[in-house]
Amino acid sequence: MHLHDNLQRFVFEDTPIRGEIVRLDATYRAVLDRREYPPAVREVLGELMAAVALLASTLKFEGKLIMQIQGSGPVKLLMAECTQRGTMRALAQWHGEVERAPLSEMIGSGQFAITIDPDDSRERYQGVVDLEGGSVAKALEHYFAQSEQLETRLWLAADREQAAGMLLQKLPDSQLEDLDAWDRAVHLGSTLTRLELLSLPVRDILRRLYHEDDIRLFARQPVSFRCSCSRERVEAVLKMLGQDEVESILNERGNVDVNCEFCGAHYEFDVVDAAQLFVAPAPSDTPSRAQ
């Protein structure tokens, strides 16, 4: 695991404010290596990756958090997914030339969706708001203000090699004894430069911003690239399409080819493979009597 691929939580002692800083290095490049993204798309995708890592670590159960931005502009889709364990994947879709511009111009009229998908039988949750703001950070802050009513601030950055982010949240249902503490923490956080966020160690960032505060820093949590695609998942999708649709593809192309957009994995199904998908399972034999 690369030293920089990790997330660290911190809290302000005696003040209900929590924070996190994430640095993505090899994880970020693993996504970029799978597709040639224009620089403007690469950077906003890196910012979204940093954001989803920051928020996925707050999940209280096994599962994943998915952030999706889609709209009518040159960038059609930005999507990043991170599990509670810190494994993640991401992709973007675009058309034509994409110039660096405020996010709202790159996406056009669009929506920001956050989905929480538990691994167990708990219900899936999705919140959707109209996309507002000139950056991923501002769009997320708008989401939290509209959907969660949770005071949240983010600082995100990405370049050719790495992505990074810092999050501050005022804990819910908390009363600040120091009424200015939140405003002060946000004001000091806003002095953090893009270069500092991308290059300084976490301890140096916190010392630079909050040297007058009592900060408790927790152990690093690793973050890594891992795609959750599998042949079994592709089979499930084909079954959802239905036998008629799959047979139509087979008649036209001879086989069914599926490429994972996240990792580039290739799955191929010939006529025999496809037929097996729709064969009803044989009835189980009568259990033999124990000897």
Side-chain angles (χ1 to χ4, degrees), residues 10 20-23 54 153-157 164-168 184-210:
F10 60 92
E20 296 172 358
I21 295 176
V22 68
R23 182 75 48 76
L54 289 166
R153 294 292 183 275
L154 293 106
W155 295 267
L156 306 168
M166 184 174 81
L167 171 144
L168 290 179
R184 186 172 65 248
V186 170
H187 172 73
L188 292 171
S190 298
T191 68
L192 182 66
T193 69
R194 180 176 180 276
L195 180 60
E196 288 171 334
L197 184 56
L198 288 168
S199 62
L200 289 181
V202 171
R203 288 185 181 277
D204 289 357
I205 289 175
L206 295 178
R207 190 178 301 116
R208 143 94 167 79
L209 296 177
Y210 303 118

Side-chain angles (χ1 to χ4, degrees), residues 4-5 22-28 49-50 53 88 161-163 223:
H4 285 164
D5 287 274
V22 68
R23 182 75 48 76
L24 304 175
D25 192 328
T27 307
Y28 177 50
M49 288 178 65
M88 62 189 309
E161 299 294 326
Q162 58 187 341
V223 183

